[in-house]
């Protein structure tokens, strides 16, 4: 029989053993803790799959966990009950090139959940030569800034170092490459000039450009032939980049323009995207089925063809899109000079009134000067005309609409910003439903402050994404919420070959939009465009909160997002 001392020792050893085992057990089941824990939201993960209720844990700039995290803790916790959690949205066509220099907060897009601005529709902010740099400086008015970069990569890094709330990426503009070597001349490049353009494209791709972007209705981009574009795209193809294009026509020559894009994609062996797909002008609305049949046939044959759009029946550009390219050769100075020659003026007016002979005449496509709203003047003395139709201004002045347009271009020392009503609502809905459609605002990201309030932007600058989620998803059921989120995130990220963004999966960067799917809506109108969208609650960019309870935090964690050809 054991002594009392031995029994006490055994009991002591037993207690210590149990304590040790409990300690190990508790250690093994330690509650996970994250920098940020988002709980109880409807997860729409960007893949297109069915939403589910779940949580997200974020550490630093990365999504650390995506699942039900019942026992987890967060240094910061957000209860997303009743809200939708989605990947940050990608604006496939952003003109925030200058607005981010003025105001890096990118409020009109952040308040819609946009976390990546993709720029470069034909014109990019590099590469520049000294003449181009001086021209840009001379053209500045409301927005004044020093041009501290030469290449496209240097410009993007300039934005990051300055401080921006969204991530940024860019295509290199085919127009920019052409102007760098040819100025605004209407001729093909020489062999040496084309070689230099290709070398510049190579540098841009190695700096992280997404590919080649073109805008072929505008001079001097219009002067480039198909073969020139193919040669540039071959360079981008070597780096697995994309060709993205505002095609040579979106109206009278729409089908032919699609054929050109498909030819470029085939001969350059490159993925291609059509910017803001549309049938412009009532006479062209019926071409919809034929256009989509061309795209679908090419896709079925193995070409990687995609599209993007803005969700409105009106576009916005300048009065240059109402005048023939020949009169614009050599840039604005030569254009304005020619418009003051009575004989040339008479010829331009005649051409404005007819279908463009091989060029895109948006004045003719709109069908009436009442369908053109003047929304952007450079000259202070003309800004009282902002928001008026071309027809209204013509009646005020007692001149024809065509003469009025010409006079305004000369008097304003600019192309004069203009909204054109061109598309049908029925076709807009058909476009949204296309399985390969993503979305771009074709506008700057701004706020209702100066200098942005000096002009009246297209409401897409404030409402493109929210209009999709509110009007076309919730109210009209054109597509489902999960499909819309996929087209705003996972699809464009895949098309651009961007790694670690676009979906809510562990290891991806924490670009996250949290919104009320029952309330999100655009508020901006053509009469009153400077109105923020409603319904976006929280936004994170690279793990840092930039929108909290619907208000901008002032944070600027945006980074440069580089394409697949980037050479570190």
């Amino acid at each position: 029989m054991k002594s009392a001392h031995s029994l006490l020792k055994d009991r002591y050893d037993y207690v210590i053993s149990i304590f040790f085992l409990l300690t190990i057990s508790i250690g093994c089941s330690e509650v996970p803790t994250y920098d940020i824990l988002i709980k109880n939201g409807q997860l729409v993960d960007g893949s297109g799959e069915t939403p589910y209720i779940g949580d997200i844990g974020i550490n630093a700039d990365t999504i650390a966990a995506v699942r039900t995290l019942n026992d987890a803790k967060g240094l910061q916790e957000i209860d997303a009950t009743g809200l939708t959690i989605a990947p940050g949205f990608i604006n496939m066509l952003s003109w925030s090139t200058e607005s981010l220099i003025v105001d890096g907060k990118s409020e009109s897009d952040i308040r819609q959940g946009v976390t990546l601005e993709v720029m470069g529709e034909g014109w990019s902010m590099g590469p520049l030569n000294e003449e181009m740099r001086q021209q840009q400086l001379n053209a500045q008015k409301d927005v004044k800034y020093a041009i501290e970069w030469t290449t496209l990569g240097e410009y993007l890094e300039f934005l990051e170092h300055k401080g921006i709330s969204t991530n940024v990426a860019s295509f290199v503009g085919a127009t920019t490459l052409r102007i760098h070597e040819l100025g605004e001349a209407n001729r093909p490049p020489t062999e040496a000039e084309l070689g230099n353009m290709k070398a510049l494209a190579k540098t841009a791709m190695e700096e992280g450009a997404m590919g080649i972007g073109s805008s072929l209705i505008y001079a001097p981009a219009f002067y480039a032939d198909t073969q020139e574009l193919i040669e540039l795209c071959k360079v981008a193809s070597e780096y697995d980049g994309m060709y993205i294009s505002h095609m040579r026509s979106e109206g009278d020559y729409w089908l032919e323009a699609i054929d050109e894009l498909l030819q470029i994609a085939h001969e350059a062996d490159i993925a291609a995207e059509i910017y803001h797909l549309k049938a412009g002008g009532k006479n062209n609305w019926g071409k919809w089925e034929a256009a989509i049949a061309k795209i679908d046939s090419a896709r079925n044959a193995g070409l990687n063809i995609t599209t993007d759009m803005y969700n409105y029946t009106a576009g916005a550009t300048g009065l240059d899109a109402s005048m023939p390219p020949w009169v614009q050769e050599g840039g604005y100075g030569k254009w304005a000079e020619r418009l003051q020659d009575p004989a040339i003026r008479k010829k331009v007016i005649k051409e404005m009134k007819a279908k463009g002979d091989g060029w895109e005449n948006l004045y003719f496509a709109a069908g009436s000067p009442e369908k053109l709203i003047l929304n952007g003047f450079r000259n202070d003395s003309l800004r009282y005309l902002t928001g008026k139709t071309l027809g209204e201004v013509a009646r005020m002045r007692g001149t024809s609409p065509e003469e009025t347009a010409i006079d305004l271009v000369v008097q304003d020392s600019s192309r004069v910003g203009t909204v054109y009503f061109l598309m049908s609502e029925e076709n807009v809905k058909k476009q949204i439903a296309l399985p390969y459609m993503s979305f771009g605002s074709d506008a700057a990201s701004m706020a209702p402050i100066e200098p942005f309030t000096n002009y009246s932007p297209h409401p897409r600058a404030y409402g493109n994404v929210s209009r999709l989620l509110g009007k076309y998803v919730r109210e009209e059921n054109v597509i489902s919420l999960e499909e819309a989120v996929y087209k705003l995130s996972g699809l464009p990220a895949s098309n651009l070959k961007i790694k670690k963004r676009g979906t809510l999966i562990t290891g991806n960067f924490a670009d996250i939009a949290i919104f009320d799917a029952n309330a999100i809506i655009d508020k901006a109108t053509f009469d009153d465009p400077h109105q923020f969208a409603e319904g976006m609650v929280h936004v994170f960019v690279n793990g840092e909160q930039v929108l909290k309870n619907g208000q901008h935090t002032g944070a600027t964690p945006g980074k440069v997002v580089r394409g697949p050809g980037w050479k570190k």
Side-chain angles (χ1 to χ4, degrees), residues 451-469:
F452 306 127
T453 50
N454 287 341
Y455 75 105
S456 181
H458 190 301
R460 64 195 181 190
Y462 283 86
N464 193 53
V465 170
S466 297
R467 184 175 177 83
L468 172 68
L469 296 173

Side-chain angles (χ1 to χ4, degrees), residues 28 40 49 97 127 131 139 171 211 220 226 229 232 247 255 262 306 360 368 394 399 416 429 470 527:
C28 290
N40 306 319
E49 296 300 319
T97 46
E131 183 177 355
F171 288 82
T226 306
L229 296 167
L232 294 178
M247 298 186 300
L255 301 181
L262 299 180
T306 52
E360 187 89 319
S368 166
T399 54
V416 182
K429 292 178 182 178
D527 291 333

Side-chain angles (χ1 to χ4, degrees), residues 149-207:
W149 62 88
T150 298
T151 71
L152 178 58
E154 290 168 353
Y155 161 74
L156 294 171
E157 289 172 357
F158 164 81
L159 288 181
E160 181 179 316
H161 294 154
K162 178 184 177 296
I164 47 176
S165 293
T166 54
N167 299 311
V168 288
S170 183
F171 288 82
V172 60
T175 309
T176 307
L177 298 174
R178 175 172 248 273
I179 292 174
H180 193 285
E181 294 302 308
L182 283 79
E184 304 209 22
N186 182 5
R187 63 171 176 82
T190 65
E191 184 176 343
E193 288 167 340
L194 182 58
N196 290 341
M197 291 165 66
K198 292 170 71 173
L200 291 168
K202 180 178 185 292
T203 297
M205 293 304 298
E206 292 181 353
E207 287 181 319

Side-chain angles (χ1 to χ4, degrees), residues 277 288 292 307-312 424-439 464-465 467-469 471-473 476-480 483-484 486-488 491:
L277 182 73
W288 171 259
I292 300 309
T307 60
D308 60 60
M309 67 178 289
Y310 47 81
N311 309 300
Y312 298 82
S424 79
E425 181 68 12
E426 180 183 358
N427 281 348
V428 166
K429 292 178 182 178
K430 290 178 181 177
Q431 291 163 202
I432 290 170
L434 289 171
Y436 40 80
M437 180 64 73
S438 54
F439 298 89
N464 193 53
V465 170
R467 184 175 177 83
L468 172 68
L469 296 173
K471 174 180 171 63
Y472 292 111
V473 172
E476 301 189 12
N477 298 307
V478 175
I479 57 175
S480 68
E483 185 177 359
Y486 165 67
K487 291 178 174 184
L488 288 164
L491 175 62

